[in-house]
Amino acid sequence: MLAKLLNLRKRVPEFVPAMTPGLRVYAVGDIHGRLDLLDRILMQIDADHAARPPAERHLVFLGDLVDRGPDSAGVVERIRTLAEGDPNVHCLMGNHEEIFLRSIEGDDKALRLFCRIGGRETLISYGVTPEDYERLDYVEVVEQLLDRVPAVHRDFLTSLQEILIMGDYVFVHAGIRPGIPIAEQKLAETRWIRDPFLDHRAPLEKMVVHGHTVAEEAEMLPHRIGIDTGAYHSDRLTALMLENTDRHVFST
């Protein structure tokens, strides 16, 4: 009898998450100022979508559009333009957008971090020369941010979503706190969390699709899918296609 019960248990299929019927969702990992890679992955997404049967397409950008790479301003403008008037384009706020916006507001702690984690490249992308940047003090960095970052960019970044749920998937920038319902997650953690989420191995409320933590290849685990492949230094931006129970990963 025990052997029969064990065999039955083995035959119970694993839960396979599914996207909402009729939707085809493309999630894009951390871009970090690499407009060249963003344009290439968007062309791949267009080609992939055109080659499949008709479906309602959604684009989900997982945050960290800015810093480190050479053209943060161009990335923000491209995604802002894509999202303008299109409810099927979604963009989440990453920790780098948070720091960027807080720096523009003059938050001293955020400003110092901004200058350490790629803010130099971001400000240069908005028109400050490298030579002029080296002469700026922190007060002048804020002045340049206020002067050079267009209001439409600030408004767009301020409006970014924190969490997006579609079908059996939840999209966040960094992850979620295990054991806390998705509806009760702290926004600071969805942008910043690492070890408590990455070290977790049990099933979660939804399959989590996230960026934030760099890996050489997309990480496909039973409870999470990580697609930050370090675009700014690896030259590889990764996207994930989800439709019904199908998944497809491709990179630049």
Side-chain angles (χ1 to χ4, degrees):
M1 177 63 77
L2 179 58
K4 288 182 179 180
L5 288 173
L6 290 174
N7 287 334
L8 285 172
R9 188 174 298 172
K10 289 178 182 178
R11 289 198 293 269
V12 174
E14 287 188 12
F15 170 71
V16 179
M19 181 47 64
T20 304
L23 302 190
R24 180 176 299 136
V25 178
Y26 294 89
V28 179
D30 303 31
I31 302 166
H32 279 302
R34 291 298 302 267
L35 180 60
D36 55 338
L37 301 183
L38 172 59
D39 285 342
R40 279 156 52 185
I41 207 77
L42 288 174
M43 286 192 292
Q44 289 181 251
I45 288 172
D46 285 344
D48 185 84
H49 180 61
R52 296 176 184 274
E56 182 179 308
R57 184 177 76 164
H58 287 253
L59 294 175
V60 181
F61 298 96
L62 295 178
D64 278 8
L65 313 182
V66 301
D67 298 341
R68 294 179 171 154
D71 199 357
S72 293
V75 170
V76 173
E77 179 61 17
R78 178 78 81 252
I79 295 176
R80 185 192 72 82
T81 303
L82 284 172
E84 194 170 36
D86 188 346
N88 291 354
V89 176
H90 316 269
C91 190
L92 306 181
M93 182 175 289
N95 58 306
H96 282 259
E97 282 76 52
E98 176 188 336
I99 293 300
F100 185 33
L101 290 170
R102 286 171 54 194
S103 297
I104 294 172
E105 294 169 355
D107 183 310
D108 184 66
K109 183 178 179 181
L111 181 63
R112 292 173 184 275
L113 181 56
F114 173 72
C115 292
R116 292 203 309 270
I117 61 173
R120 173 184 182 275
E121 290 77 11
T122 296
L123 198 48
I124 289 171
S125 78
Y126 280 100
V128 175
T129 67
E131 295 76 19
D132 285 344
Y133 178 86
E134 299 304 328
R135 291 191 286 267
L136 298 176
D137 60 25
Y138 286 124
V139 172
E140 292 168 331
V141 168
V142 175
E143 291 173 352
Q144 289 295 321
L145 286 169
L146 288 169
D147 183 56
R148 293 178 180 273
V149 180
V152 291
H153 283 200
R154 298 199 297 270
D155 292 344
F156 171 68
L157 294 176
T158 300
S159 72
L160 297 184
Q161 298 170 255
E162 304 288 348
I163 296 176
L164 176 65
I165 296 175
M166 303 179 81
D168 294 325
Y169 293 88
V170 58
F171 302 85
V172 292
H173 173 64
I176 63 174
R177 172 71 63 173
I180 304 295
I182 290 173
E184 299 175 17
Q185 292 287 322
K186 294 181 179 179
L187 302 184
E189 292 204 308
T190 65
R191 301 174 193 166
W192 290 92
I193 196 168
R194 288 197 196 273
D195 290 350
F197 170 64
L198 299 175
D199 293 343
H200 184 75
R201 291 293 180 267
L204 295 165
E205 184 179 345
K206 298 276 187 180
M207 172 66 80
V208 181
V209 179
H210 66 96
H212 188 59
T213 299
V214 176
E216 289 187 9
E217 304 289 343
E219 294 184 303
M220 310 283 285
L221 282 75
H223 61 299
R224 68 176 181 89
I225 304 174
I227 58 170
D228 180 4
T229 47
Y232 70 94
H233 65 81
S234 69
D235 296 325
R236 189 170 63 257
L237 178 62
T238 295
L240 168 71
M241 189 284 297
L242 300 167
E243 184 176 13
N244 298 319
T245 57
D246 295 337
R247 302 176 190 166
H248 176 62
V249 174
F250 49 96
S251 301
T252 53

